[in-house]
Structure formats: structure tokens, C-alpha cells
Amino acid sequence: MVNISTEWLQSVEAFKDVPVVQLQWLAENSEPKTLHPGEFMFKPDDPLNATYILLSGKIRLYYLQNNDPVEILVMEAGTISGYLPFSRGLKATIYSEAVEESQLMVFPIEKIDDMIHTQFELTQALVHVMTNRVRDYTTMMRQNEKMMALGKLSAGLAHELNNPAAAIVRGASSLRKHLQLMPDTFQDIMAIQMTPEDVTFVKEKMFAILKSTDRPKLTMMERGEKEDAMVDWLDNHDVANAMEMAENFVEFGCTIDILEEFRSHMSPDSLSAVLNWIDKNLVTERMVLDIEEASARIVKLVGSVKTFTHMDQSHDKRATDLRDGIKNTLNIMEYKLRKGNVQLIENYDPSLPPVNIMIGEMNQVWTNLIDNALDAMLGRENSTLEIKTEKDGTCVKVSIIDNGPGIPENIVSRIFDPFFTTKEIGKGTGLGLDITTQIVKQHHGNIKVNSVPGRTQFAVSIPIH
């Protein structure tokens, strides 16, 4: 057992400037306590009824996330914990477990008021401990929340990148095989005798089809009817590969009238070779378009991720259109919207001015709120997520609205508390909305919730100036 002396207390960094007489008063009004390995100094929801000074041993502070312990720090000799002067936290929110046999000096909460009125420097030292603890806790938890926000997106982002990447690989492989067939088609074309005028017509007509952007949007039934009619026309004119050709021609908006124009510029023996050559070019165009679209999707996702993170600029406020961060977040979370078959309604006011925000920090807010809304609607039919921006006095207000079951009335007041969550074990980050609230407050804004069954609205208001 460590001897509780003023000399030992003066060796503690927090007490180095406290007068000896006050340290003597602290020692005389404290009690010794021993914790064996596995015993707890306190657990979540236990009342904080004392200030603890660790004399020897080690105590681990942690919280549970997805039912697994996440270590905050390991207390060593000289660490001060528990209740501190002027603290509003009267209940523990984390676990405090002895790693080895630990000796504690316990100063009861009943004597705090007497200390505040009679031991000024001692009180000041403990208040300084509290402010440092709040600062360190906030920094650590915000960083943890940032990593959690990115972690939520990683699996879905990998899925989103994998789809276009796989499409590019498949498209490139198919295109290579397709191009290997082109010499046979070219040989058939070279054997045809056509006038220069007819060649020019075929070339210009084909490129007009390739460049056309006015392609009809057809239902499955309409497409099927057009393809059947085209197959009949092609068979009647002895054109090879009629089924495949009809599908491609209908896809590019080519009609039977256009085929008749081609027929009028060549002999019957040449028609099949020319139309098959045109078909091969249409197939090539479609493959290239698919590769281009998949590549653009990857570029868009990578751009969204770069804008979303802003890891190197997270502490710089910039004048930003809030819609940009929300849209980037939705881009990255698109997989979850599709998975839940969620209808997305975006109702943005385009006249809103830019707002000075820390982009990376606010993206954490959008991620957490949107992710919570999607989780709330999981498994429900006709799920709808609405994102709305509007001016609210001197603020820009962003509302995230879902038609899930709502938040029970008896817990609405607790949802912004540290570590409080309504999600089942194994879901969510385990951090709740505490960090989200802190980020919003850091921007001098506020966050409110209004929830009834079938409609839950989280409204984030950020001052324009």
C-alpha cells in the first residue's frame, strides 16, 4: 500500500502547484481502497460519488461497441478519475476495470462543496484536470467517429467500385473477342461492288445512327414487338444473324424504314454483308459506351470520396454549398439505398448561399444521420428518404426525413447522450449522436428531432454568417 503523503501527492503533475496544507487536507479527507484484477471502479450508469486518485497498479477504461470492448486509456499511478468539481456528469458512461491489483485514494463527493469553499488551489487543479479530460475525450471520440463514418462506407464503397471495375474487365474482354471477328466481316465487305455514292450514303447513315442521342425509351413489350418485326424483315431479305442484329438495331433506334433506305442503295446480294458490317460497328460502339460509363462511375466515386473525406482540411472552414457534401455522401451510400429499395427524394433550395463549415466534419454528420435513417427503415416496404434544404431565418436548415417506425417517446430526450443507441447489438457505431451534436454546436448550429410513427425528421441548422 502506497503511503498517502503530501510528498507523493506533490509528485502528481496535476497537484504540483497546490500548497502542501491543501494536499494534507485532501489526504486527511480521503479513504484508501484496493481493487483486485477484474474488479470495477465503476460501470456505466453507476453513480459517480467520489474522486479517485490511482496510487499504484493499472485500471483500464473502455466502452462496448458492437458488444466488444474499445479501450479508451489505461490509468497508471497518478491518474485522477471519477467525479470532479463542477462536473455535470453524475453517472458513469464507461467501464473502469482493474488490470492488476490497484491502490486508490478515494475522495467522497459529499466533501466537494467544502473543498470548493476552503481549498481554492486544490479545486482549481481538479477543475483543470476536468477540462483536460473533456478536451482529450472530445478529440479522441471525434477521431473515432471519423473513422467509424468512413468504416460504415468502406464495404459498400468496395461493392460500388467492384461493379464498374468488373464491367470494364468484362467489356474489354468481350471487345477484344469481338474485334477479332471484324476481319471476316471486312472480307465480305471488300467483295461487294458499290458505287462511291452508295458507299458515302452507307457511311454517313451509319455514323448518324451511332451519334444519335434521340433513342426511344421502350417498354419490354414495345421492344419485343419492334425486334420481332425487324427479325421478320431481315429474314425476308435473307440477312444473316437476324436475331442478334434486330436487338442491336432497335437498341440504337434504327427502324425498318432506315433498313429500306439501306436496301435501296445496294444489290440484294450485298444487303446481308453491309448490314452485318453495320451491326458489328454498333456492337463495338455499345461495348465502348459500357466501358466509358463504368469508368465514369469509378471517377465519380473516387471524386466523391476525395471530397467527402477532406482529411487534410478537416479543421479549415470553407464557404461551401451544403448540397455538395450531402450529394457526395449519398453517392457513396448509394449501395445501401438500393439494398433497402429506398426511394430518395431530394428537395434542395438552389437559392441558398454558401455556408462556412469544416467539410470533413459536416460530412460525418450527414453520414451518421442518413445511415441512421436507412437503418430505421430496414425491412419496411415503400421506404422513403427525403433530404430537404431551406432557409430558416439566419440559418440554412438541412432536414433528413424517413418514414420508419419513429423513435419511442420515452427515449427521444436521450438520443443525443454519449454512447446511447437504439440499435441492436452489432449494428451502428455504438457512439450514438453525441459527436454529431458536438460537431453541429462547433459550427454554432443546432440539431433537433421530431419523431412520430411513420415520420422522423432530424433538422440541422447552420448559421449563414
Side-chain angles (χ1 to χ4, degrees):
M1 178 70 183
V2 175
N3 180 33
I4 306 176
S5 64
T6 55
E7 289 79 8
W8 187 91
L9 289 173
Q10 280 185 314
S11 70
V12 176
E13 178 66 22
F15 294 146
K16 65 180 182 179
D17 296 323
V18 177
V20 173
V21 64
Q22 294 186 31
L23 294 177
Q24 183 65 40
W25 181 92
L26 176 65
E28 292 173 354
N29 285 275
S30 299
E31 301 173 356
K33 181 176 182 178
T34 300
L35 288 179
H36 299 287
E39 291 185 333
F40 290 88
M41 189 163 63
F42 47 73
K43 297 179 181 179
D45 293 327
D46 284 352
L48 291 177
N49 52 17
T51 302
Y52 301 96
I53 302 169
L54 184 59
L55 305 176
S56 65
K58 292 183 179 180
I59 296 177
R60 183 172 68 135
L61 304 183
Y62 65 90
Y63 62 90
L64 294 181
Q65 178 180 296
N66 299 339
N67 215 30
D68 293 322
V70 177
E71 188 172 285
I72 298 173
L73 62 88
V74 175
M75 293 174 53
E76 297 185 343
T79 305
I80 301 170
S81 185
Y83 181 82
L84 294 169
F86 307 112
S87 173
R88 290 182 294 177
L90 298 176
K91 287 188 176 181
T93 58
I94 56 177
Y95 294 87
S96 176
E97 180 185 7
V99 178
E100 57 188 50
E101 184 168 303
S102 303
Q103 306 295 328
L104 292 165
M105 174 177 168
V106 182
F107 180 70
I109 194 171
E110 293 82 7
K111 298 184 179 181
I112 290 286
D113 190 58
D114 186 21
M115 180 187 70
I116 291 173
H117 287 89
T118 62
Q119 314 295 324
F120 176 77
E121 286 82 4
L122 177 59
T123 302
Q124 188 178 46
L126 291 176
V127 168
H128 187 65
V129 170
M130 181 181 67
T131 56
N132 285 343
R133 184 167 72 181
V134 170
R135 183 194 62 225
D136 294 344
Y137 163 84
T138 301
T139 300
M140 180 196 68
M141 296 308 293
R142 183 163 294 180
Q143 185 63 29
N144 198 342
E145 178 75 358
K146 185 185 291 288
M147 298 308 297
M148 286 294 177
L150 295 175
K152 287 179 188 179
L153 307 172
S154 60
L157 182 59
H159 179 74
E160 286 293 292
L161 288 171
N162 183 66
N163 281 348
I168 291 172
V169 173
R170 289 194 305 269
S173 177
S174 299
L175 181 59
R176 179 173 57 83
K177 293 177 181 177
H178 174 73
L179 292 175
Q180 290 172 353
L181 302 175
M182 293 298 283
D184 295 335
T185 308
F186 177 73
Q187 183 176 345
D188 294 338
I189 287 291
M190 292 300 293
I192 297 173
Q193 296 294 324
M194 295 176 63
T195 66
E197 293 78 10
D198 289 340
V199 171
T200 300
F201 170 82
V202 171
K203 181 191 71 173
E204 291 178 351
K205 198 68 177 177
M206 183 188 70
F207 280 109
I209 294 172
L210 290 173
K211 293 178 181 179
S212 175
T213 57
D214 186 22
R215 297 171 188 169
K217 294 182 179 180
L218 304 172
T219 65
M220 291 286 289
M221 185 174 294
E222 290 171 337
R223 181 183 295 274
E225 290 175 352
K226 285 183 176 293
E227 288 178 3
D228 289 343
M230 190 163 288
V231 168
D232 291 340
W233 189 94
L234 294 168
D235 284 340
N236 290 336
H237 292 84
D238 298 323
V239 177
N241 303 317
M243 290 290 291
E244 176 189 339
M245 193 180 300
E247 179 182 343
N248 290 327
F249 278 13
V250 170
E251 175 73 22
F252 279 86
C254 187
T255 64
I256 291 177
D257 290 339
I258 294 176
L259 296 184
E260 287 286 357
E261 290 185 57
F262 281 119
R263 189 175 70 86
S264 67
H265 284 77
M266 61 196 71
S267 66
D269 295 339
S270 305
L271 184 62
S272 180
V274 171
L275 291 184
N276 270 277
W277 178 72
I278 293 172
D279 177 61
K280 291 294 188 288
N281 281 278
L282 295 182
V283 172
T284 302
E285 178 74 7
R286 189 167 65 176
M287 290 179 174
V288 171
L289 288 174
D290 288 344
I291 293 172
E292 185 179 24
E293 183 179 333
S295 302
R297 175 65 179 155
I298 291 177
V299 170
K300 181 182 178 183
L301 283 168
V302 171
S304 293
V305 171
K306 287 173 66 178
T307 307
F308 177 88
T309 54
H310 275 76
M311 297 293 284
D312 58 334
Q313 303 168 14
S314 60
H315 296 292
D316 295 334
K317 285 189 177 181
R318 294 192 173 191
T320 306
D321 187 337
L322 293 182
R323 291 177 299 178
D324 294 341
I326 296 170
K327 286 182 177 180
N328 282 321
T329 303
L330 290 171
N331 281 338
I332 298 173
M333 300 188 75
E334 187 175 329
Y335 76 99
K336 199 163 185 176
L337 289 163
R338 289 200 310 270
K339 181 181 178 182
N341 196 25
V342 177
Q343 179 188 4
L344 176 64
I345 300 173
E346 295 179 86
N347 187 6
Y348 303 121
D349 182 351
S351 67
L352 294 177
V355 180
N356 279 323
I357 61 169
M358 291 180 283
I359 300 173
E361 303 280 334
M362 286 306 299
N363 283 341
Q364 291 177 243
V365 173
W366 313 137
T367 300
N368 211 358
L369 294 179
I370 292 172
D371 186 68
N372 285 346
L374 295 176
D375 282 347
M377 296 184 290
L378 197 62
R380 294 173 68 90
E381 294 183 0
N382 303 317
S383 297
T384 301
L385 175 68
E386 180 181 359
I387 313 292
K388 181 179 181 182
T389 64
E390 58 188 320
K391 190 172 182 181
D392 182 21
T394 59
C395 297
V396 169
K397 183 167 78 172
V398 177
S399 295
I400 295 172
I401 306 164
D402 68 74
N403 65 345
I407 304 171
E409 188 176 349
N410 63 320
I411 64 172
V412 167
S413 62
R414 300 175 58 200
I415 61 172
F416 296 111
D417 292 349
F419 306 110
F420 181 80
T421 179
T422 60
K423 296 181 181 180
E424 300 174 7
I425 292 174
K427 294 184 179 179
T429 64
L431 299 180
L433 293 168
D434 174 45
I435 300 299
T436 298
T437 307
Q438 290 185 36
I439 293 172
V440 173
K441 287 182 176 178
Q442 189 176 4
H443 287 79
H444 307 290
N446 64 73
I447 178 170
K448 297 179 181 178
V449 61
N450 189 341
S451 182
V452 295
R455 190 180 192 276
T456 297
Q457 175 184 6
F458 281 87
V460 178
S461 294
I462 304 295
I464 295 172
H465 302 294

